[in-house]
Amino acid sequence: MGIFAVKTTASQERTVADMIASREEDEIHAVLAPDSLTSYVMVEADNSAVLERVMDEIPHARSIVPGTSSLTEVEHFLSPTPDVEGIAEGDIVELIAGPFKGEKARVQRIDEGKDQVTVELYEATVPIPVTVRGDQIRVLDSDER
């Protein structure tokens, strides 16, 4: 048993993963299509022969990368990283979504549990603390770096 990388057509990873997962094959145990991995789907299967047989019937599945991967090589895909990771208090950020899109701000507080950041808008006459989701900001400058 091993974890095999299946090469796919670009932007079709999710489709290929869903089609492989929908097959009722006892030899295929799990399918993973991480967003950060383009043109590949990871499949846990007993052997590559069963995967080759299934892939013949799946459009957009191109080939199997020779060899297998271990769980330690793919486990970083299994746990999502919080959006606030890599952001520190005092960082200068740009809001990339919401009503203040395009505004620059300084990070005041980070709530990792809720994946939220409280920022203070730069150009505001009166300092206004605004709480936004971690995926709505982009770090421009950091005091620590």
Side-chain angles (χ1 to χ4, degrees):
M1 177 151 56
I3 299 171
F4 299 92
V6 175
K7 179 109 173 90
T8 67
T9 306
S11 313
Q12 296 296 322
E13 303 88 2
R14 185 68 46 134
T15 307
V16 171
D18 290 344
M19 293 175 95
I20 292 173
S22 68
R23 303 284 169 161
E24 304 218 350
E25 296 283 343
D26 293 333
E27 295 94 356
I28 296 177
H29 306 289
V31 183
L32 176 68
D35 292 335
S36 59
L37 193 61
T38 339
S39 299
Y40 290 95
V41 173
M42 305 306 289
V43 182
E44 182 181 23
D46 288 344
N47 55 50
S48 61
V50 67
L51 210 46
E52 287 174 14
R53 189 177 72 238
V54 167
M55 282 177 47
D56 286 341
E57 303 167 20
I58 296 178
H60 306 296
R62 295 288 167 240
S63 62
I64 299 173
V65 177
T68 61
S69 298
S70 66
L71 187 58
T72 54
E73 291 176 309
V74 296
E75 69 183 349
H76 67 278
F77 293 124
L78 302 175
S79 56
T81 58
D83 291 323
V84 296
E85 191 174 287
I87 300 172
E89 289 183 16
D91 282 359
I92 305 300
V93 297
E94 179 184 5
L95 292 132
I96 57 172
F100 298 106
K101 181 177 179 177
E103 294 284 331
K104 290 179 178 49
R106 181 179 297 274
V107 176
Q108 299 298 320
R109 190 172 55 249
I110 300 167
D111 186 343
E112 289 185 15
K114 293 182 182 174
D115 210 18
Q116 292 180 336
V117 178
T118 302
V119 297
E120 199 170 88
L121 298 177
Y122 242 25
E123 281 95 28
T125 314
V126 179
I128 307 169
V130 179
T131 303
V132 295
R133 291 194 330 258
D135 63 346
Q136 293 184 336
I137 61 172
R138 178 173 60 96
V139 177
L140 296 175
D141 188 27
S142 174
D143 288 347
E144 294 179 3
R145 291 183 196 120

